Amino acid sequence: MDAEPLVQDLLSGKVKLYAVDALAGSSQRATQLRRTFLEHKAGVSLPTIGASVLDFDAVSGKNAENTIGAAQIPMGVAGPLWVRGDYATGSYYVPLATTEGALIASTNRGCSVITASGGAVSRVLADTMTRAPLFRVPGIEKGKELAQWVSDHFEEVRAVADAQTRFTRLTGCTPFVTGRNLFLRFEFSTGDSMAMNSATKASDAIAAFIEERFPWASLVAVSGNMCVDKKPSAINLVMGRGKSVAAEVLIPEELVAAKLKTTAARMEEVCYRKIFVGSARAGSLGGFNAHVANIAAAFFAATGQDLAHVVEAAQGITTMENVDGDLYASVTLPDVPLATFGAGTQLPTQREALSILGLSGSSDEPGARCRALAEVFAAVVLAGELSLIGALASRDLTRAHMSLGRARP
Amino acid sequence: MDAEPLVQDLLSGKVKLYAVDALAGSSQRATQLRRTFLEHKAGVSLPTIGASVLDFDAVSGKNAENTIGAAQIPMGVAGPLWVRGDYATGSYYVPLATTEGALIASTNRGCSVITASGGAVSRVLADTMTRAPLFRVPGIEKGKELAQWVSDHFEEVRAVADAQTRFTRLTGCTPFVTGRNLFLRFEFSTGDSMAMNSATKASDAIAAFIEERFPWASLVAVSGNMCVDKKPSAINLVMGRGKSVAAEVLIPEELVAAKLKTTAARMEEVCYRKIFVGSARAGSLGGFNAHVANIAAAFFAATGQDLAHVVEAAQGITTMENVDGDLYASVTLPDVPLATFGAGTQLPTQREALSILGLSGSSDEPGARCRALAEVFAAVVLAGELSLIGALASRDLTRAHMSLGRARP
Amino acid sequence: MDAEPLVQDLLSGKVKLYAVDALAGSSQRATQLRRTFLEHKAGVSLPTIGASVLDFDAVSGKNAENTIGAAQIPMGVAGPLWVRGDYATGSYYVPLATTEGALIASTNRGCSVITASGGAVSRVLADTMTRAPLFRVPGIEKGKELAQWVSDHFEEVRAVADAQTRFTRLTGCTPFVTGRNLFLRFEFSTGDSMAMNSATKASDAIAAFIEERFPWASLVAVSGNMCVDKKPSAINLVMGRGKSVAAEVLIPEELVAAKLKTTAARMEEVCYRKIFVGSARAGSLGGFNAHVANIAAAFFAATGQDLAHVVEAAQGITTMENVDGDLYASVTLPDVPLATFGAGTQLPTQREALSILGLSGSSDEPGARCRALAEVFAAVVLAGELSLIGALASRDLTRAHMSLGRARP
Amino acid sequence: MDAEPLVQDLLSGKVKLYAVDALAGSSQRATQLRRTFLEHKAGVSLPTIGASVLDFDAVSGKNAENTIGAAQIPMGVAGPLWVRGDYATGSYYVPLATTEGALIASTNRGCSVITASGGAVSRVLADTMTRAPLFRVPGIEKGKELAQWVSDHFEEVRAVADAQTRFTRLTGCTPFVTGRNLFLRFEFSTGDSMAMNSATKASDAIAAFIEERFPWASLVAVSGNMCVDKKPSAINLVMGRGKSVAAEVLIPEELVAAKLKTTAARMEEVCYRKIFVGSARAGSLGGFNAHVANIAAAFFAATGQDLAHVVEAAQGITTMENVDGDLYASVTLPDVPLATFGAGTQLPTQREALSILGLSGSSDEPGARCRALAEVFAAVVLAGELSLIGALASRDLTRAHMSLGRARP
């Protein structure tokens, strides 16, 4: 088939956007045809969207559909960032992709403070992906009975789940009975991939297994919004999801002065008033931080994580304390879905970004590489928090000086 | 200066990453040098990150720092999507950039259902950007006094704010006294830009104005976490931020059957059990939807919005109701920061993506273009919700049939 | 009719519990008959429930039904408590009714500290009762239209509301459109009564007024759970309900030492770690305090407030700060429904309890007496917070000493 | 000592309120003296507060201090209520103490519907009291290490806890590391008492045990606000506290019509729009019900529960579903602290109230009696929900009829 006729057919509505791949013989060619169609349709020109390095035959269906090209987001690096994790140790240059000016520069400053202070301790506190299928049951009694059955037959259930995928392993289940609804929040270890798909596949298999045995239990949705995927929620904050990871650093007084131009006492105060009193007064759930979402979004965009997971990763608690003039700072991030393997991490620029960290692909010890990535993530989030709170505290100081200055005759 | 010596200096630590732009004479060249440095440092090769269309002399400082190239995220389109807004009317092809397979295809299906049903009604319910500077005050009495003063002198305060920027206008202020903290949540109309920077600049000017008049009031942070920027929060859910926008559609019974392979009754049930009972049980605040974050992230990445704002945009309520066999569906999104002008929307691929919608740049009636974008956004979010809930409901149906089938001799 | 036959009829099921009042000729007598019936039925004896001062002919229907007597809850007083409010000034003995040992003693200690420090400043920040009727509307467009109509015809709507009751006045309305649901959150000033009933009556009248004019709008519930009455919620935290009241005190260093046996620095730390980090980590919404609910419950039980409103009153933020050795402490309570007039406040013991405060009944300046009660309430809550945090901080100190002691040879 | 001189000394400030018990020789007499003092001081008369059945020598220190008498709250009964629990089976008359008219009558109507429908199924889903001491630790690493140690030495830790009290047994521990804070959320089984005091005592002993072994860990507060006691919180909603209990009933269509004057379809709609859409839009956390707090407060006041715990008990989810014309209704209450033994349950009127249920004191099988109480509680809460939603649905129906009526010529 010729290109132009297909574009004509798109314009006339004879052919649908998604049908072009098959008709054009390749997604690479379909990508170009759809772009041409849009250029005609909207009377615009889309050269930069078209100028991508992507192989759309590889991308199509796996990462995107109805493709027309790529969005290009500026990528920079912050670092060196000294990380003292269980899995990640040493100095890292952290790739960040963003469209917001000053973010990378600010994070870079935070990295510099951390590194000069001997590095950030970073620890994975828990590592569990979850899926919570939702069953319609006749009522509380039956819901309780089924929840008990899953607990009693956990080994059988685990066998069903683990047969579905190579790396994802069922590790636990928390049931929630609510009227005629039974939510089974399954927990999985997932190796180096984020593994939502594997977890879903495993949950689906478990659901079928259950439905066969309990004719009165019927799957309503393989995700019952108690996983919780891509939505703000207390359950993830409390029970964790993906990587639960934390980082901390102790910054000597002289570095607070030299690099952040302020004092530990002032940073402690800004943290307390803004992050704790402010977020409490605003009715925030999990948003007790300065701007974790900024670093999460930039890190996720650069390294091929699911950008919708920024919603989860942005939940976190930042503390800053004046310890005899030195500054203790920490971040606690209970809900960070991450991967070094699969999905977006396989795309060319994203894979390269992970390679800068030496953390692309899967590891011999399943999960070790991804946990290293989580440790780096927590440390760079800490860098971002330090830099922003430092800037606020230091401006505060400047103002105070200016105001003193003004007062003089 | 020669390239190689600068790379050497980076490797030896003599030159810092951020110093390269000035030394290299251009950010375009600095971008390449930093990349080369990283290739040496990490022993990797970064050709695709380097293969970008970006002009780093334009990008640097404005959108990113320490640049090394770009992240490329696959972009596709969903549509045509018929939108019946006050500002956006007609058929749209919506650009979405994502790395998650099936998302665009699924959203596309939702668009098809909406369009076949005569389009989605979409309305901007409110349009306000906020910044909430935080002042340390001597106590409740003084805090109350200052809050009252701002109310009494609102015109003066407005003049100070409006002198700072061309398009951003102060429209209101809600004070929150909490012990020795006074939060002034300022509201702005912002034309077609998202205008966090303008709002910050205006808030800073107001703060200086206040500090001059009230020596006992001292700015702790120009953002006191009651704005709330990029964090989950109830205050934005209740009072709104950015665009508060909603969309709805009534889908005839036969289209539910033909295109979603299910019934309105089943979709209503899935929505009720998963979205309402599930999210209530999970302790969600604002996450009463199926996967708004997915569409928000893809739309934001394609059109140059701040990706960290996905945290806010993902808050929303989805309803689905069986109306005598037809399906009524709606989304309510109280907190969507958007722009058609400025920041990430000026970048090449992002500007082209907006041009596909005919919604790039600023409009003669300030804010009208961005409100149109908000209406399209709500409609495409609705498409995503319909498709996912439809898929769950239809699988449920399939299972039910299979189960009936199995039961037969 | 004779007593015994009626008890026989109750036992045989011939007469229902609620029918006894009419058959017995008086509720006073019915109360005794039901008690006798229960004594027979359950084989128990209920002399103390029967030994009440209540006149059940006055109580029945107004405060309770199917009455059998009264629950007696021990009442004590804490004080003197020096309050420096706009409405309440001077020294108060605060009645508290509780079954939990140590609570009154502890609060009393807090009162003593406050009074010795020159009293607590207390301020009513806002004073608004709310009711939010919920209408079924055809969709977003109509919902928006109706919300606009209410705004445009506010004076008419107010006239309808204000005609219903003597003291309750409509002061505002915030609309929330959500799919086919329109919530109109009406705000009322209520004089000295809590006025839920008046607000409901006024809302009902408004609803009828609206339904007459908009045949497509139909009242689903006069309370649409956005009031929000007697449920935890962010909207009340952010927008306030009932009395929004705050209190603060500055306690000199020597009084912290002498009366609380600790230091301002330690109390600041306990407050920060427990109240802010702890409640943030627990996913609390509005529960950033030590034990506001304890004082609220005891104050409400003593003074005849609606005990279910403890759920709302318990939302609050407590801050404690070390100011050069002195302790600054504050409570912010955005949602405290209170009355000095009507409902439970008219009962004998409750009216006497209010009379101890000199705050029983309604005032010449409508609302002034009840605002005074709110100021006293905030001050006594502050006393409770100070005493508990002080005890924790001081035990901490003791332990430190003991631990030092143990370590010695 | 003579009475009058002591009153004189109180009036002159020579003697403090709390000192009177010792000086007067008995709390019974002290109660009267304090009352006399207040009568003089405030120029009021307090006869009804004084007319109590309480023995203040037994009450003082155990339930209240600085006693002056008692608050009398009207008590009525709702019932018979047929409960089909694991622990409570049969027909119950439920004592409720309240000052709010119509509450008992309304609940009584709900009981009648449930009983006519064959009773409410009621189940205790979990039964755990919690205390979460908070330790200051040097940082994340040490926090993680200590959390691990507690897990590894759980039997030792349990022995320490269990040695403190007769009935309270340590059953689990969930650690939360957050910067320099370690929260250990201990779980206890508590027999028939609510056991906050025992749990506190056990936690204190564990804390001392830990501090001895880990000199770098220091108890900041025996409650770190992650228990969470008497504050709204997500952690209790998700993980449960006290009794997690649920109840349900299926009401035949004809009973919905005859007793509630409405239909299952209408009640389902009111429940969906008000409870789910309304509370979601209001930013409620755990408040997905109609008025659980009302029944909780009345039940707690009557039976001697801690009234501040109403804050926790009011969290719950109510569902109502139209099942082919019949109405399925359920309540899920994850956080209900209850006792049949100890504290307020020992007081005369409260003990009598429990005896009406046959559930006063402790049982041979520790915890069985209190679980029965929880089952009755969930059932009566369900009654309250049914009655209120039914009333709203039925008024809606009436209005519809009236409106039809009005439309006729």
Side-chain angles (χ1 to χ4, degrees):
Chain A
M1 263 182 112
D2 195 25
E4 281 312 316
L6 254 177
V7 170
Q8 291 303 332
D9 289 351
L10 277 167
L11 286 165
S12 70
K14 229 167 82 182
V15 162
K16 302 258 168 141
L17 281 175
Y18 62 80
V20 181
D21 301 71
L23 296 169
S26 88
S27 290
Q28 191 70 19
R29 193 161 156 67
T31 300
Q32 187 201 305
L33 290 169
R34 272 187 293 257
R35 209 164 53 238
T36 306
F37 155 70
L38 286 174
E39 290 179 328
H40 279 91
K41 186 80 183 178
V44 297
S45 137
L46 308 171
T48 64
I49 289 178
S52 95
V53 298
L54 296 173
D55 169 4
F56 287 98
D57 290 324
V59 162
S60 189
K62 204 169 154 204
N63 298 106
E65 300 80 33
N66 290 2
T67 46
I68 60 168
Q72 295 199 13
I73 299 180
M75 194 192 294
V77 286
L81 172 62
W82 190 356
V83 181
R84 293 161 56 198
D86 283 335
Y87 300 88
T89 47
S91 223
Y92 291 86
Y93 287 92
V94 184
L96 298 168
T98 185
T99 64
E100 306 305 307
L103 177 59
I104 298 174
S106 169
T107 308
N108 194 58
R109 188 170 77 129
C111 292
S112 160
V113 180
I114 288 173
T115 300
S117 303
V121 169
S122 196
R123 289 289 178 274
V124 175
L125 301 171
D127 183 1
T128 315
M129 181 44 63
T130 56
R131 249 308 173 220
L134 154 59
F135 298 84
R136 185 196 314 107
V137 291
I140 294 165
E141 230 174 342
K142 288 296 191 183
K144 200 184 166 191
E145 178 187 326
L146 177 45
Q148 188 60 49
W149 185 89
V150 170
S151 171
D152 293 343
H153 297 74
F154 189 70
E155 289 312 313
E156 274 177 73
V157 170
R158 168 147 53 190
V160 170
D162 292 1
Q164 300 300 312
T165 66
R166 275 182 61 198
F167 295 111
T168 301
R169 295 287 164 264
L170 185 68
T171 56
C173 174
T174 310
F176 294 89
V177 176
T178 308
R180 299 207 304 159
N181 308 282
L182 174 65
F183 302 85
L184 296 174
R185 192 175 189 261
F186 290 113
E187 300 171 2
F188 301 92
S189 74
T190 66
D192 293 303
S193 66
M194 187 267 284
M196 279 300 303
N197 287 347
S198 309
T200 303
K201 209 174 151 195
S203 297
D204 242 335
I206 298 172
F209 184 73
I210 286 173
E211 283 181 313
E212 249 174 59
R213 272 147 198 79
F214 298 87
W216 43 259
S218 166
L219 185 71
V220 173
V222 72
S223 158
N225 273 25
M226 291 198 73
C227 314
V228 184
D229 195 42
K230 302 174 178 175
K231 282 162 287 280
S233 78
I235 199 173
N236 290 6
L237 187 68
V238 167
M239 299 184 68
R241 189 174 194 242
K243 280 26 173 182
S244 298
V245 63
E248 69 187 351
V249 68
L250 188 71
I251 306 173
E253 185 169 12
E254 53 276 17
L255 282 175
V256 177
K259 288 190 171 275
L260 297 172
K261 315 292 180 203
T262 183
T263 64
R266 279 189 177 270
M267 288 183 71
E268 177 183 271
E269 184 187 0
V270 173
C271 178
Y272 159 67
R273 294 195 190 283
K274 170 190 169 73
I275 290 183
F276 285 101
V277 182
S279 287
R281 193 69 192 83
S284 183
L285 200 63
F288 290 79
N289 59 67
H291 69 145
V292 171
N294 270 332
I295 289 87
F299 187 90
F300 278 33
T303 62
Q305 312 303 322
D306 189 333
L307 283 168
H309 276 144
V310 170
V311 172
E312 296 179 46
Q315 296 184 316
I317 299 178
T318 295
T319 70
M320 297 200 181
E321 296 168 16
N322 173 13
V323 182
D324 301 325
D326 299 341
L327 179 73
Y328 172 87
S330 77
V331 293
T332 306
L333 307 165
D335 179 11
V336 189
L338 281 179
T340 58
F341 179 79
T345 67
Q346 310 293 80
L347 291 167
T349 56
Q350 287 80 342
R351 192 203 302 242
E352 286 180 10
L354 284 168
S355 79
I356 297 172
L357 295 166
L359 297 173
S360 170
S362 63
S363 43
D364 291 340
E365 186 199 336
R369 193 160 295 170
C370 196
R371 278 187 209 126
L373 190 72
E375 290 175 345
V376 172
F377 175 70
V380 74
V381 164
L382 181 62
E385 294 292 279
L386 282 166
S387 185
L388 178 49
I389 297 295
L392 292 168
S394 133
R395 178 166 47 179
D396 189 22
L397 201 62
T398 313
R399 274 176 184 277
H401 285 166
M402 281 168 55
S403 147
L404 284 174
R406 272 200 302 272
R408 281 175 198 154
Chain B
M1 263 183 109
D2 194 24
E4 281 312 316
L6 256 176
V7 171
Q8 291 304 331
D9 289 351
L10 277 166
L11 286 165
S12 71
K14 232 167 76 184
V15 162
K16 302 258 166 142
L17 280 176
Y18 61 78
V20 180
D21 300 71
L23 296 169
S26 88
S27 290
Q28 191 69 19
R29 193 161 154 66
T31 299
Q32 186 201 306
L33 289 170
R34 271 186 294 257
R35 208 164 55 238
T36 307
F37 155 70
L38 286 173
E39 290 179 329
H40 279 90
K41 186 79 183 178
V44 298
S45 136
L46 308 171
T48 63
I49 289 177
S52 94
V53 298
L54 297 173
D55 169 6
F56 287 98
D57 291 324
V59 162
S60 190
K62 202 168 154 206
N63 298 107
E65 299 81 31
N66 290 1
T67 46
I68 61 168
Q72 296 199 14
I73 299 181
M75 195 192 293
V77 285
L81 171 63
W82 190 356
V83 181
R84 293 161 56 198
D86 284 333
Y87 300 88
T89 47
S91 223
Y92 291 86
Y93 287 92
V94 185
L96 299 168
T98 184
T99 63
E100 305 305 307
L103 177 59
I104 298 174
S106 170
T107 307
N108 193 58
R109 189 170 77 129
C111 292
S112 160
V113 179
I114 288 174
T115 300
S117 303
V121 169
S122 196
R123 289 289 178 274
V124 175
L125 301 171
D127 183 0
T128 315
M129 182 43 63
T130 56
R131 249 308 173 218
L134 154 60
F135 298 84
R136 186 195 314 108
V137 291
I140 293 166
E141 231 174 342
K142 289 296 191 183
K144 201 184 166 192
E145 177 188 325
L146 178 45
Q148 189 59 50
W149 184 89
V150 170
S151 172
D152 293 343
H153 297 73
F154 189 70
E155 289 312 312
E156 273 177 75
V157 170
R158 168 147 52 189
V160 169
D162 293 0
Q164 300 300 311
T165 66
R166 275 184 59 198
F167 296 111
T168 301
R169 295 286 165 264
L170 185 68
T171 57
C173 175
T174 309
F176 294 89
V177 177
T178 308
R180 299 209 302 158
N181 307 283
L182 173 66
F183 302 85
L184 296 174
R185 192 176 189 260
F186 290 114
E187 300 171 3
F188 301 92
S189 74
T190 66
D192 293 304
S193 67
M194 187 267 284
M196 280 300 303
N197 286 347
S198 309
T200 303
K201 208 174 152 194
S203 298
D204 242 335
I206 298 172
F209 185 72
I210 286 173
E211 283 181 313
E212 250 174 58
R213 273 147 197 79
F214 297 88
W216 42 259
S218 166
L219 184 73
V220 173
V222 72
S223 157
N225 274 24
M226 291 198 74
C227 314
V228 183
D229 195 43
K230 302 175 179 174
K231 282 162 286 283
S233 78
I235 199 172
N236 290 6
L237 187 67
V238 167
M239 299 184 67
R241 188 173 195 244
K243 280 29 174 177
S244 297
V245 63
E248 69 187 351
V249 67
L250 188 71
I251 306 173
E253 185 169 12
E254 53 275 18
L255 283 175
V256 177
K259 289 191 170 275
L260 295 172
K261 315 293 179 203
T262 183
T263 65
R266 280 191 176 269
M267 288 182 71
E268 177 182 271
E269 185 186 359
V270 174
C271 178
Y272 159 66
R273 293 195 191 282
K274 169 190 170 73
I275 289 184
F276 286 102
V277 182
S279 287
R281 194 68 192 83
S284 183
L285 200 63
F288 289 79
N289 58 67
H291 70 144
V292 172
N294 269 332
I295 290 87
F299 188 90
F300 278 34
T303 62
Q305 313 304 321
D306 190 333
L307 284 168
H309 276 144
V310 170
V311 172
E312 296 179 45
Q315 296 184 316
I317 299 178
T318 295
T319 71
M320 297 199 181
E321 295 167 17
N322 173 14
V323 182
D324 301 326
D326 298 341
L327 179 73
Y328 172 87
S330 77
V331 293
T332 305
L333 308 165
D335 180 10
V336 188
L338 282 179
T340 58
F341 179 79
T345 67
Q346 310 293 81
L347 291 167
T349 56
Q350 287 81 341
R351 190 202 304 242
E352 286 179 11
L354 284 169
S355 79
I356 297 172
L357 295 166
L359 297 173
S360 170
S362 62
S363 42
D364 291 340
E365 186 199 335
R369 194 160 295 169
C370 195
R371 279 189 207 122
L373 190 72
E375 291 175 345
V376 172
F377 175 69
V380 74
V381 164
L382 181 61
E385 294 291 280
L386 282 165
S387 186
L388 179 49
I389 296 295
L392 291 168
S394 132
R395 178 166 47 180
D396 189 21
L397 202 62
T398 313
R399 273 175 186 278
H401 285 165
M402 282 169 54
S403 147
L404 284 172
R406 271 200 302 271
R408 281 172 199 155
Chain C
M1 261 183 113
D2 193 26
E4 280 313 314
L6 255 176
V7 170
Q8 290 304 333
D9 289 350
L10 278 167
L11 285 166
S12 71
K14 230 168 77 183
V15 161
K16 301 258 167 142
L17 281 175
Y18 61 79
V20 180
D21 301 71
L23 295 169
S26 88
S27 290
Q28 191 70 18
R29 189 159 158 68
T31 301
Q32 186 203 307
L33 288 170
R34 273 187 291 260
R35 209 165 53 237
T36 306
F37 156 68
L38 286 173
E39 289 178 329
H40 279 90
K41 185 81 183 177
V44 296
S45 132
L46 308 171
T48 64
I49 289 178
S52 93
V53 297
L54 296 173
D55 168 5
F56 288 98
D57 291 323
V59 162
S60 190
K62 201 166 157 212
N63 299 107
E65 300 79 34
N66 289 1
T67 45
I68 60 168
Q72 297 199 13
I73 300 181
M75 194 193 295
V77 284
L81 171 63
W82 190 357
V83 181
R84 293 160 56 198
D86 283 334
Y87 300 89
T89 47
S91 224
Y92 291 87
Y93 287 91
V94 185
L96 299 168
T98 183
T99 64
E100 306 304 307
L103 177 59
I104 298 174
S106 171
T107 307
N108 193 58
R109 189 172 75 130
C111 293
S112 159
V113 180
I114 287 174
T115 300
S117 302
V121 169
S122 196
R123 289 288 178 273
V124 175
L125 302 171
D127 182 1
T128 316
M129 182 42 64
T130 58
R131 250 307 174 217
L134 154 59
F135 298 84
R136 188 195 312 107
V137 291
I140 294 165
E141 231 174 342
K142 289 296 192 186
K144 202 185 164 190
E145 179 188 323
L146 178 46
Q148 187 60 50
W149 184 90
V150 171
S151 172
D152 293 343
H153 298 72
F154 189 70
E155 289 311 314
E156 273 177 75
V157 171
R158 167 147 51 190
V160 170
D162 292 1
Q164 299 302 311
T165 65
R166 274 183 62 197
F167 295 111
T168 300
R169 295 286 165 263
L170 185 68
T171 56
C173 174
T174 309
F176 295 89
V177 177
T178 307
R180 300 208 302 159
N181 308 284
L182 174 65
F183 302 86
L184 296 174
R185 191 176 190 263
F186 290 113
E187 299 170 3
F188 300 92
S189 75
T190 65
D192 292 304
S193 66
M194 188 268 285
M196 278 301 303
N197 287 348
S198 308
T200 302
K201 206 174 155 197
S203 297
D204 242 336
I206 298 173
F209 185 72
I210 286 174
E211 283 181 312
E212 248 174 59
R213 274 146 196 80
F214 298 88
W216 43 258
S218 165
L219 186 71
V220 174
V222 72
S223 157
N225 273 25
M226 290 198 73
C227 315
V228 183
D229 194 43
K230 302 175 180 174
K231 284 162 285 277
S233 80
I235 199 171
N236 290 7
L237 187 66
V238 166
M239 300 184 68
R241 189 173 195 246
K243 280 28 173 176
S244 298
V245 63
E248 68 188 352
V249 68
L250 188 70
I251 307 173
E253 186 169 11
E254 54 275 20
L255 283 175
V256 178
K259 287 189 171 277
L260 296 171
K261 316 291 179 203
T262 183
T263 64
R266 278 188 178 270
M267 288 183 71
E268 177 182 271
E269 184 186 1
V270 174
C271 178
Y272 159 67
R273 294 196 190 282
K274 169 190 171 73
I275 289 184
F276 285 102
V277 182
S279 286
R281 193 69 191 85
S284 182
L285 200 64
F288 289 80
N289 59 67
H291 69 145
V292 172
N294 269 333
I295 290 87
F299 187 90
F300 278 34
T303 62
Q305 313 303 322
D306 189 333
L307 283 169
H309 276 145
V310 170
V311 172
E312 297 179 45
Q315 296 184 315
I317 299 178
T318 296
T319 70
M320 297 200 180
E321 297 168 16
N322 173 14
V323 182
D324 301 325
D326 298 342
L327 179 74
Y328 172 86
S330 77
V331 294
T332 306
L333 307 166
D335 180 10
V336 188
L338 282 179
T340 57
F341 179 79
T345 66
Q346 310 294 81
L347 291 167
T349 56
Q350 288 81 342
R351 192 202 302 241
E352 286 180 12
L354 283 168
S355 79
I356 297 174
L357 294 166
L359 298 173
S360 170
S362 62
S363 41
D364 291 340
E365 186 200 337
R369 194 160 296 172
C370 195
R371 280 190 206 121
L373 190 72
E375 290 174 346
V376 172
F377 175 69
V380 74
V381 164
L382 181 62
E385 295 292 278
L386 282 165
S387 185
L388 179 49
I389 297 294
L392 292 167
S394 134
R395 178 165 48 177
D396 189 21
L397 201 64
T398 314
R399 272 175 184 278
H401 287 166
M402 281 167 54
S403 145
L404 284 173
R406 269 198 302 272
R408 282 175 199 155
Chain D
M1 266 181 106
D2 193 27
E4 281 313 316
L6 254 176
V7 171
Q8 290 305 332
D9 289 350
L10 277 166
L11 286 165
S12 71
K14 229 168 80 184
V15 161
K16 303 259 168 143
L17 281 175
Y18 61 79
V20 179
D21 301 72
L23 295 169
S26 89
S27 290
Q28 191 70 18
R29 187 158 159 69
T31 300
Q32 185 203 308
L33 289 170
R34 271 186 293 258
R35 209 165 52 239
T36 306
F37 155 70
L38 286 174
E39 290 178 329
H40 279 90
K41 184 81 184 176
V44 296
S45 131
L46 307 172
T48 64
I49 289 178
S52 95
V53 298
L54 297 173
D55 168 5
F56 288 98
D57 291 323
V59 163
S60 190
K62 203 167 156 210
N63 298 107
E65 300 80 32
N66 290 0
T67 45
I68 60 168
Q72 296 200 14
I73 299 181
M75 195 191 295
V77 286
L81 170 64
W82 189 356
V83 181
R84 293 160 55 199
D86 283 334
Y87 300 88
T89 47
S91 224
Y92 291 87
Y93 288 90
V94 185
L96 299 168
T98 184
T99 64
E100 306 303 307
L103 177 59
I104 297 173
S106 170
T107 306
N108 192 58
R109 188 171 76 130
C111 292
S112 159
V113 180
I114 288 174
T115 300
S117 301
V121 169
S122 196
R123 289 288 178 274
V124 175
L125 302 171
D127 182 1
T128 316
M129 182 43 62
T130 56
R131 251 305 174 218
L134 153 60
F135 297 84
R136 187 194 313 109
V137 291
I140 294 165
E141 231 174 342
K142 289 295 192 185
K144 202 184 164 190
E145 179 187 324
L146 177 46
Q148 189 60 50
W149 184 89
V150 170
S151 172
D152 293 343
H153 297 73
F154 188 71
E155 289 311 314
E156 273 176 74
V157 170
R158 167 146 55 190
V160 170
D162 292 0
Q164 299 302 311
T165 65
R166 274 182 63 195
F167 295 111
T168 301
R169 293 287 164 262
L170 185 68
T171 57
C173 175
T174 309
F176 294 89
V177 176
T178 307
R180 300 209 301 160
N181 307 284
L182 174 66
F183 303 86
L184 296 174
R185 191 175 190 263
F186 290 113
E187 299 171 1
F188 300 91
S189 74
T190 65
D192 293 304
S193 66
M194 188 268 285
M196 278 300 303
N197 287 348
S198 309
T200 302
K201 207 174 154 197
S203 297
D204 242 336
I206 297 172
F209 185 72
I210 286 174
E211 283 181 312
E212 248 174 59
R213 274 146 196 81
F214 298 88
W216 43 257
S218 167
L219 185 72
V220 173
V222 73
S223 158
N225 273 25
M226 290 199 73
C227 313
V228 182
D229 193 43
K230 302 175 180 174
K231 283 162 285 280
S233 79
I235 199 171
N236 290 7
L237 187 66
V238 167
M239 300 183 68
R241 190 173 195 246
K243 281 23 173 180
S244 298
V245 64
E248 68 187 353
V249 68
L250 189 70
I251 306 173
E253 185 169 10
E254 54 275 19
L255 283 175
V256 177
K259 289 190 171 274
L260 297 171
K261 315 292 179 204
T262 183
T263 65
R266 280 190 176 268
M267 288 183 71
E268 177 183 91
E269 184 186 1
V270 174
C271 178
Y272 159 67
R273 295 196 189 282
K274 170 190 170 72
I275 290 184
F276 285 102
V277 182
S279 286
R281 193 70 191 83
S284 183
L285 200 63
F288 290 80
N289 59 67
H291 69 145
V292 172
N294 269 333
I295 290 86
F299 187 90
F300 278 33
T303 62
Q305 313 303 322
D306 189 333
L307 283 169
H309 276 145
V310 170
V311 172
E312 296 179 45
Q315 297 184 316
I317 298 179
T318 295
T319 71
M320 297 200 181
E321 296 169 15
N322 173 14
V323 181
D324 302 325
D326 298 342
L327 178 74
Y328 173 86
S330 77
V331 293
T332 306
L333 308 165
D335 179 10
V336 188
L338 282 178
T340 58
F341 179 79
T345 67
Q346 310 293 81
L347 291 167
T349 57
Q350 288 81 342
R351 192 203 302 240
E352 285 179 11
L354 284 168
S355 79
I356 296 173
L357 295 166
L359 297 172
S360 170
S362 62
S363 41
D364 290 340
E365 186 199 337
R369 193 160 296 171
C370 195
R371 278 188 208 122
L373 190 72
E375 290 174 345
V376 172
F377 175 69
V380 75
V381 164
L382 181 61
E385 294 291 279
L386 282 165
S387 186
L388 178 49
I389 296 294
L392 293 168
S394 135
R395 178 165 48 177
D396 189 22
L397 201 63
T398 314
R399 274 176 184 279
H401 286 166
M402 281 168 55
S403 145
L404 284 173
R406 271 199 301 273
R408 282 176 198 153

